Amino acid sequence: MVAKYRKQSGKSPATQTDRDKSPLVSPPGKSNVRRPGREGKAFNSSHPNGLSGIRQKLGLTPSGAVKLGITLLLAALTGYLHWHHLSQLFENDRHFSHLSNLEKEMAFRTEMGLYYSYYKTIIEAPSFLDGLHMIMNDRLTEYPLVINTLKRFNLYPEVVLAGWYRMYTGVMGYFGIPTKMCWSINRGEGLSPVDSCEGMGDPAYFYVAFVFLLNGAMMSLFFIYGAYLSGSRLGGIVTTMCFFFNHGESTRVMWTPPLRESFAYPFLVLQMLLLTYILRTRNPSRTAMVALGISNLCFMLPWQFAQFVLLTQVASLFASYILGYLGAAKMQSILVTHMITLGVCFVLMFGNSMLLTSFYASSLVSIWAIIALRDRFAQVFKPGIVIWLMQGLAWVGSTILLKFMLSTVLCASDDAHISALIKSKFTSYKDFHTLMYTCAAEFDFMELETPLRYLRTLLLPINMLVVAVIAWRTVQDIVRFLRDGGKVSVKPDDVDEAAGSEIAAKGELVYHSLQLVAFAVLAILIMRLKLFLTPHMCIMASLICSKQLFGWIGERYKPQVAVFAVMAIMAVQGVANLQAQWGIIGEFSNLPQEELLDWIQENTQPDSVFAGAMPTMASVKLSTGRPIVNHPHYEDSGLRERTKLVYSMYSRMTGETVRGNLMKLGVDFFVLEDSWCTRRTRYLPERLLPQDHFSFFFLFFEICFKYVKENRKSGHSENKNIDNIQY
């Protein structure tokens, strides 16, 4: 080994009839599409192959192919820059390349450590299938229960990455190619040296590398998305610049790689890009709908919260349909795609009841029924505002009724804490579980500083301008519609026939505006959800390059000059934000936790059962492999009750009551964190928030209660008592 010292411290090919009036579409006289007859003649006469053949199959002229190539090149460049940015921030914050294996695992705090532990289980198992069986029949996470963690915790990303890691190391080992380099790290201060490895052969390095690659690809999608929505590559540049300038408000993947959003959100970006294409296209192909369904599935599988995001999307689309910007046939096609995706996800998640009892599932059924009964609505209610209100009320009422009926029939209450959390936002209601959420700042209302940050980078003013222009044109359309007596609503089937009209062409812009409002509401209620709002604001900012919205400003080059001027002003604060991120230099160290984990490894049996604070238990399971009774994944009603029993240690209950609670769960050891008993502020200090320096919750540890089994044999005994108390 080598001694090494640690430092101190886009256009879519479509026929002319498919082109709607939208920001991306070129004027008819400038279409890049060849007529079918000419394409066939060129093909038959020259038999092109290679790039020329691909170009002709896509219906692109040479100049169109060059423009497409430039767009893809710029997209790849932005993806690379984002990947490099994320990797550098992560390394600078923790000095990850110089950490030992134990320190790398400790760096994955709270639920991150829980997710990573299953990845570790699969790669350390004798075979991939053995590892898969172990996580599907797990007795360590909620002892003594045997649970399917793949069903409960959305662990498909860990399964896929563990499979890739095993294949990668197997192939490299077969050819004798080294996959990692290890160092002996002198930690100083009287601490023993540790071995540290870097390279794709290191499990933790492999894991975070793929997370950052995926999110680098997401930035490429953002560029394409902005360019497609605005109809200009300059729009893609505006989108990516806004994202970088507001990076701390847009994502936290550089601080929390294993979180579910790190795997799921890139697929939401892809899904919304495909949805924009479908809304713009008069008759979307089956391939487009299949692609939408696959991206939907890839978004839902890794993240239990995806259903709430998709609920806002379906609601925004339904509002667009009510206002006449989306045809009934196309809306039904999108709903069918969502339904099929939900069904496939339900099967792959082994019948997870939270999917079927969600507001999202009920909303899909409700909207489908309302559209199917649209003729009845038109016969009963007067066209215009009345029928719009009645359709909206029918959707809300039927969705809520169906959701609670399904929850009652299936006896599902896993998502009850979400309703309680929202209720606590507007009333004085509180219980143990809502207080567990609201004691953390990221689950409180959005802080005032957030919109001020948007204001300094001009992200908020630009979005207000764009939404105001779209809203003004929408109001004009509504007034014109009402003045004409609502004739279009009388025959809703005609909406698809008029998809090329000016009103239908605005559907995608109306949808994006409504989606922005929905994300804003979520972010205001729960600050953590600004991770949806900020990126969508970056997407909407691209519309300042839209000729459809701002073509009236001036001549050909004047709008571009105005856009560059805006970006120059944005860069003043944006560059300062980036420099602040680049200035974060840290090094992960948590000696009390390291000593705790070492003590557990050396002084307890492999089957000893532990209880304690949720963040700590995730680390205990990951690094020691000991059974635990509670953990940070709070989405299960049974787990929430277990945690309430465990946390009675920090209550004013008597010692006998606490002892009885822990005995019910079969606990051998309880890890007491005395900082929880002395903390006086409502929120964690700023330095402890996840997006900052990852200082850890557990600052001081004491093994407070030690349960000693009578007549310990090779297995567990069900008769346990407190034999002594160690302080």
Side-chain angles (χ1 to χ4, degrees):
M1 288 190 179
V2 180
K4 189 174 182 180
Y5 289 85
R6 178 183 299 182
K7 61 182 179 181
Q8 304 296 325
S9 55
K11 292 188 179 181
S12 173
T15 64
Q16 187 64 31
T17 57
D18 284 339
R19 293 176 176 270
D20 298 332
K21 288 186 178 181
S22 62
L24 182 70
V25 178
S26 304
K30 297 183 179 180
S31 174
N32 292 328
V33 182
R34 291 188 177 187
R35 296 179 181 177
R38 293 185 180 181
E39 286 182 351
K41 183 177 179 180
F43 181 83
N44 293 330
S45 60
S46 59
H47 300 283
N49 50 48
L51 295 178
S52 179
I54 295 175
R55 174 177 60 78
Q56 291 195 1
K57 287 182 179 180
L58 293 176
L60 297 174
T61 62
S63 61
V66 170
K67 292 179 180 179
L68 178 61
I70 294 174
T71 301
L72 296 179
L73 182 62
L74 290 174
L77 177 61
T78 57
Y80 169 79
L81 291 176
H82 193 232
W83 165 79
H84 180 75
H85 182 64
L86 295 175
S87 303
Q88 203 62 39
L89 289 178
F90 185 72
E91 174 64 21
N92 290 347
D93 181 59
R94 307 187 192 183
H95 210 186
F96 197 73
S97 61
H98 285 59
L99 299 181
S100 65
N101 289 334
L102 178 59
E103 289 175 317
K104 290 176 180 177
E105 292 177 354
M106 290 192 301
F108 298 138
R109 64 179 296 270
T110 65
E111 58 184 305
M112 294 188 290
L114 183 69
Y115 299 138
Y116 183 82
S117 69
Y118 303 109
Y119 166 79
K120 179 181 177 181
T121 297
I122 297 177
I123 64 175
E124 291 183 350
S127 69
F128 175 79
L129 292 179
D130 288 337
L132 190 61
H133 180 268
M134 291 170 67
I135 68 170
M136 292 176 64
N137 299 271
D138 180 271
R139 202 186 183 200
L140 301 180
T141 306
E142 294 181 9
Y143 179 87
L145 302 178
V146 177
I147 63 173
N148 183 349
T149 59
L150 185 59
K151 171 184 177 180
R152 282 275 300 278
F153 304 144
N154 300 78
L155 296 178
Y156 277 98
E158 280 66 30
V159 172
V160 172
L161 286 181
W164 288 354
Y165 177 82
R166 294 183 70 106
M167 288 190 293
Y168 171 76
T169 54
V171 171
M172 295 296 104
Y174 178 81
F175 289 103
I177 302 174
T179 58
K180 61 182 177 180
M181 182 175 293
C182 297
W183 316 86
S184 178
I185 306 297
N186 183 2
R187 298 191 291 176
E189 301 178 359
L191 300 175
S192 59
V194 295
D195 294 336
S196 176
C197 299
E198 58 180 325
M200 296 298 285
D202 181 73
Y205 196 97
F206 184 93
Y207 187 94
V208 298
F210 270 94
V211 173
F212 294 151
L213 284 172
L214 177 62
N215 283 266
M218 179 196 70
M219 185 55 65
S220 298
L221 287 175
F222 263 113
F223 179 87
I224 296 173
Y225 196 166
Y228 185 70
L229 183 64
S230 65
S232 168
R233 284 188 293 274
L234 186 58
I237 295 174
V238 170
T239 295
T240 53
M241 286 187 64
C242 287
F243 195 99
F244 275 105
F245 290 163
N246 298 273
H247 199 268
E249 307 295 323
S250 301
T251 182
R252 56 178 183 170
V253 65
M254 60 283 192
W255 312 133
T256 57
L259 288 186
R260 302 299 83 187
E261 66 205 45
S262 302
F263 295 99
Y265 186 71
F267 292 103
L268 176 63
V269 178
L270 175 62
Q271 191 259 13
M272 293 181 68
L273 174 59
L274 291 170
L275 180 61
T276 303
Y277 168 79
I278 290 171
L279 293 177
R280 181 174 297 181
T281 306
R282 179 177 300 181
N283 297 308
S285 64
R286 181 176 297 180
T287 302
M289 303 307 295
V290 170
L292 179 68
I294 293 175
S295 60
N296 237 6
L297 183 65
C298 293
F299 174 54
M300 294 181 67
L301 280 179
W303 198 12
Q304 70 277 6
F305 189 77
Q307 54 178 296
F308 299 101
V309 179
L310 293 177
L311 172 64
T312 66
Q313 182 180 99
V314 172
S316 301
L317 290 169
F318 184 55
S320 301
Y321 161 77
I322 290 178
L323 294 175
Y325 289 103
L326 182 58
K330 185 180 292 186
M331 184 68 193
Q332 287 180 318
S333 298
I334 295 173
L335 288 175
V336 169
T337 303
H338 276 268
M339 290 177 179
I340 294 175
T341 300
L342 181 63
V344 174
C345 188
F346 178 76
V347 173
L348 293 179
M349 292 299 294
F350 304 93
N352 192 323
S353 61
M354 280 188 66
L355 294 172
L356 291 187
T357 59
S358 64
F359 283 105
Y360 167 58
S362 301
S363 182
L364 292 175
V365 177
S366 300
I367 295 175
W368 174 269
I370 292 171
I371 296 177
L373 297 173
R374 60 189 181 275
D375 292 334
R376 292 291 183 90
F377 275 94
Q379 294 172 2
V380 175
F381 302 106
K382 182 179 179 180
I385 296 179
V386 175
I387 194 172
W388 295 343
L389 289 176
M390 295 311 300
Q391 286 177 317
L393 290 174
W395 168 64
V396 173
S398 58
T399 297
I400 294 176
L401 179 62
L402 184 57
K403 184 263 186 296
F404 285 105
M405 286 179 56
L406 289 173
S407 297
T408 302
V409 171
L410 299 178
C411 300
S413 59
D414 290 341
D415 60 350
H417 63 299
I418 302 295
S419 301
L421 178 60
I422 296 175
K423 182 180 177 180
S424 69
K425 297 284 184 179
F426 302 101
T427 67
S428 59
Y429 174 81
K430 61 180 67 175
D431 59 21
F432 174 80
H433 307 300
T434 59
L435 291 174
M436 283 291 293
Y437 277 106
T438 56
C439 70
E442 56 265 34
F443 285 99
D444 203 353
F445 289 104
M446 178 189 288
E447 58 184 356
L448 180 61
E449 184 63 24
T450 298
L452 292 179
R453 295 191 189 105
Y454 295 152
L455 191 62
R456 296 188 190 106
T457 59
L458 298 187
L459 185 61
L460 183 58
I462 292 174
N463 273 262
M464 292 177 66
L465 174 62
V466 169
V467 173
V469 173
I470 296 174
W472 172 249
R473 295 193 174 187
T474 303
V475 170
Q476 288 180 321
D477 291 336
I478 292 174
V479 171
R480 187 182 307 114
F481 168 80
L482 295 176
R483 189 189 308 124
D484 294 339
K487 296 180 181 178
V488 177
S489 291
V490 176
K491 298 179 180 180
D493 291 335
D494 293 339
V495 173
D496 280 335
E497 297 176 6
S501 69
E502 184 177 357
I503 293 179
K506 296 175 183 176
E508 62 185 273
L509 300 183
V510 173
Y511 157 71
H512 279 87
S513 299
L514 293 171
Q515 185 69 75
L516 179 66
V517 172
F519 284 158
V521 171
L522 291 179
I524 290 172
L525 292 177
I526 301 176
M527 186 181 69
R528 177 181 179 181
L529 301 184
K530 66 182 179 182
L531 302 177
F532 293 110
L533 172 63
T534 312
H536 198 68
M537 292 175 72
C538 298
I539 289 293
M540 294 295 288
S542 69
L543 290 173
I544 63 172
C545 304
S546 169
K547 292 182 179 180
Q548 182 184 10
L549 293 181
F550 299 101
W552 47 269
I553 290 180
E555 299 176 0
R556 180 176 181 182
Y557 295 103
K558 288 183 179 180
Q560 284 84 343
V561 173
V563 171
F564 279 112
V566 170
M567 288 194 293
I569 299 174
M570 292 170 56
V572 175
Q573 182 62 42
V575 172
N577 292 343
L578 288 174
Q579 289 176 339
Q581 282 192 320
W582 296 332
I584 297 175
I585 303 296
E587 183 174 355
F588 176 81
S589 179
N590 194 334
L591 291 178
Q593 184 189 5
E594 184 176 345
E595 292 172 356
L596 169 68
L597 297 176
D598 287 339
W599 187 93
I600 292 174
Q601 288 277 36
E602 296 171 1
N603 296 277
T604 66
Q605 297 294 325
D607 56 358
S608 298
V609 183
F610 282 78
M614 292 185 289
T616 310
M617 290 302 98
S619 295
V620 169
K621 180 188 180 301
L622 168 60
S623 300
T624 69
R626 301 300 193 266
I628 58 177
V629 298
N630 64 310
H631 53 77
H633 197 276
Y634 215 57
E635 309 305 319
D636 179 74
S637 57
L639 187 276
R640 291 196 291 272
E641 294 307 314
R642 279 172 161 254
T643 300
K644 189 174 181 180
L645 290 177
V646 171
Y647 277 41
S648 64
M649 175 63 75
Y650 299 101
S651 70
R652 297 179 180 179
M653 297 180 183
T654 64
E656 286 299 316
T657 303
V658 174
R659 173 181 179 271
N661 290 339
L662 297 179
M663 293 290 287
K664 288 179 184 177
L665 300 175
V667 175
D668 294 323
F669 294 88
F670 187 95
V671 181
L672 177 69
E673 304 176 32
D674 57 2
S675 64
W676 282 43
C677 302
T678 59
R679 187 180 297 119
R680 290 291 179 265
T681 56
R682 180 186 178 192
Y683 299 119
L684 291 173
E686 231 178 70
R687 65 187 182 86
L688 295 182
L689 291 179
Q691 62 266 34
D692 292 324
H693 298 288
F694 278 92
S695 299
F696 277 67
F697 229 46
F698 18 84
L699 304 179
F700 307 97
F701 293 91
E702 292 179 2
I703 301 294
C704 182
F705 281 88
K706 178 181 179 182
Y707 291 83
V708 179
K709 300 176 184 177
E710 292 182 346
N711 304 321
R712 175 184 286 275
K713 298 180 181 179
S714 58
H716 273 284
S717 173
E718 297 301 326
N719 298 319
K720 303 177 181 180
N721 65 340
I722 298 180
D723 197 38
N724 61 4
I725 300 178
Q726 294 184 351
Y727 291 95

